[in-house]
């Protein structure tokens, strides 16, 4: 952390402060698990952490792609799509993205 540039330090601090609303994570877990399953608070906390790492990997890959095409500024949807495609092709990371089926286009 001490070796980070100012830019990387700012990004790291933003990452540390970020989180997804627990109610939304629980609602998503409930929709996947079914209405008859009780979702425990600790499971929501754990899923929130895993999700944060997953999103972080996608953002890092998208930033790498943005740099490779020599673009600057905020990430665009195309950067995110390319990052997911690259991670799916690599088949490693938080999840084996190669095994995750493609969902509906958002």
């Amino acid at each position: 952390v001490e070796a980070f540039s100012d830019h990387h330090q700012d990004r790291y601090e933003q990452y540390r402060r970020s989180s997804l609303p627990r109610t939304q994570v629980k609602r998503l877990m409930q929709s996947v698990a079914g209405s008859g399953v009780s979702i425990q608070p600790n499971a929501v906390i754990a899923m929130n952490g895993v999700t944060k790492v997953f999103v972080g990997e996608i953002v890092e890959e998208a930033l790498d792609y943005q740099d490779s095409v020599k673009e600057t500024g905020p990430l665009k949807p195309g950067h995110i799509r390319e990052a997911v495609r690259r991670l799916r092709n690599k088949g490693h990371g938080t999840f084996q993205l190669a095994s995750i089926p493609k969902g509906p286009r958002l």
Side-chain angles (χ1 to χ4, degrees):
V1 175
E2 294 156 4
F4 284 169
S5 68
D6 288 343
H7 174 72
H8 283 100
Q9 183 69 32
D10 289 342
R11 281 185 36 211
Y12 178 73
E13 288 173 8
Q14 289 173 5
Y15 172 77
R16 294 275 304 189
R17 287 191 303 258
S18 67
S19 69
L20 298 168
R22 287 186 186 169
T23 56
Q24 289 181 353
V25 172
K26 183 175 182 177
R27 192 175 313 132
L28 178 62
M29 291 173 69
Q30 194 71 52
S31 71
V32 171
S35 60
V37 178
S38 175
I39 305 294
Q40 299 298 316
N42 287 344
V44 175
I45 292 169
M47 183 59 72
N48 204 338
V50 170
T51 303
K52 184 175 175 177
V53 172
F54 181 67
V55 170
E57 287 184 1
I58 293 171
V59 168
E60 284 299 316
E61 188 68 32
L63 289 168
D64 289 345
Y65 171 69
Q66 184 184 39
D67 287 344
S68 74
V69 294
K70 298 182 179 26
E71 293 181 6
T72 59
L75 291 175
K76 298 174 184 170
H79 299 136
I80 301 295
R81 283 191 293 274
E82 179 62 19
V84 169
R85 187 193 68 75
R86 287 179 174 198
L87 289 171
R88 189 176 282 135
N89 287 341
K90 286 181 185 177
H92 65 82
T94 304
F95 295 103
Q96 296 294 321
L97 285 176
S99 66
I100 297 176
K102 290 184 179 181
R105 281 205 113 147
L106 301 176

